[in-house]
Amino acid sequence: MEAAFVVITRDRWAALAATVGRLRARHPSVPIVVVDNGSERPAPPLGPGVELVRCAADLGAAARNAGAERAGTDLVAFCDDDA
């Protein structure tokens, strides 16, 4: 079974970078989908193995659906951007 991480964020790039780093260190082969939930500032580079999905507006928790759809895996682990 394939799995992926989905992380939603909104203008919390420093916290997100730390979370992505921890996920990547513990699970180097698991894809990470980051959902930019209507941020006002553009996303910085997120690194290899991280895909960015941009939402035009803040969708709240529903942004997780966009991430899960993009992941296209059997299993999805949802993480907060400050996890």
Side-chain angles (χ1 to χ4, degrees):
M1 281 192 178
E2 289 185 73
F5 291 108
V6 171
V7 185
I8 62 172
T9 192
R10 187 170 192 272
D11 288 317
R12 293 175 43 105
W13 303 119
L16 175 72
T19 297
V20 167
R22 285 189 293 275
L23 291 173
R24 184 57 59 230
R26 291 184 182 145
H27 308 281
S29 64
V30 177
I32 300 172
V33 177
V34 170
V35 181
D36 176 357
N37 202 10
S39 293
E40 293 180 15
R41 294 176 287 135
L46 300 173
V50 181
E51 185 174 359
L52 180 66
V53 176
R54 289 189 173 97
C55 298
D58 184 352
L59 303 177
R64 290 185 176 98
N65 296 332
E69 184 177 322
R70 179 64 64 92
T73 56
D74 297 325
L75 302 171
V76 175
F78 296 106
C79 297
D80 291 333
D81 57 6
D82 61 352

